[in-house]
Every structure is written in structure tokens, then in C-alpha cells.
Amino acid sequence: MTRRAAVHVHVVSKDGTRRQWLTPGDEVPSWARLDARNLRDAEAEDGAPPSSPSQVGEPSRSGRGSGLEAWRSFAESHGVGLDSDMSRDDVIAACERAGVVSAEG
């Protein structure tokens, strides 16, 4: 599957020896790790999910990157069952019940 950047992003290899700027639409190098929020949805392009669950980090609970789509993508990548009419808070609660994220006090 070809992963492509959805936003302008600077990637650095795990060992710090490789660095590269990506613009929207650029192919993501195999050594780079990006979470789902920074990837273009490749499902429409090749039928495969955009990334594996191990690459999808927990979205923010407030501010940028905390919207319904980010949480829905995160939940689905971790196998959390969702209904189409769920709100963002409903999706977060479902993730908490499934043990995918911890409840914030």
C-alpha cells in the first residue's frame, strides 16, 4: 500500500539519521512513522486501510486533531464497534469501555 501525506509534515527516522519534509500527496518513505491524522485516506485509492492500529495514536481530546473523524478513525483502527449516529463524546466513551484509552478524570 502506498501511504501519502495529507498535510505538510517533517519526518525523522527513529535513529535520527534521516529527515525529510513532505507536502500533501507526497509518498511517505518506509522508514517514516506518521499517525492517521497526517495520512491521506488511502482506502479509496487501493482498498486497504490507511494504516495499522499500531501506527494510529490516540487523538487529542481538545483542540486541533480532536474532532469526530479523528476519533472515529482511531476507534475503527482498534476494532471498536461504532454506530453511524455517534457523537465524538460517544466515540470516546466507546473507546474507554473497550479499554483502548483510559478515562480522563
Side-chain angles (χ1 to χ4, degrees):
M1 170 181 78
T2 302
R3 299 181 315 147
R4 299 204 176 273
V7 296
H8 287 87
V9 63
H10 185 251
V11 292
V12 180
S13 64
K14 192 172 189 175
D15 64 4
T17 59
R18 295 180 178 178
R19 300 169 185 267
Q20 184 176 343
W21 277 102
L22 302 176
T23 59
D26 285 350
E27 186 172 337
V28 178
S30 61
W31 51 263
R33 300 273 185 226
L34 295 177
D35 69 33
R37 294 173 289 179
N38 294 327
L39 294 171
R40 176 183 291 167
D41 184 5
E43 190 169 289
E45 294 176 22
D46 61 12
S51 59
S52 69
S54 64
Q55 294 173 320
V56 178
E58 180 181 335
S60 299
R61 294 195 184 214
S62 63
R64 187 173 190 188
S66 66
L68 174 61
E69 288 309 311
W71 275 99
R72 182 171 287 282
S73 175
F74 173 79
E76 290 173 349
S77 72
H78 285 81
V80 177
L82 303 176
D83 294 328
S84 60
D85 62 341
M86 293 176 96
S87 70
R88 175 180 114 12
D89 291 339
D90 293 336
V91 173
I92 293 171
C95 289
E96 290 172 351
R97 284 190 301 274
V100 176
V101 297
S102 62
E104 285 195 349

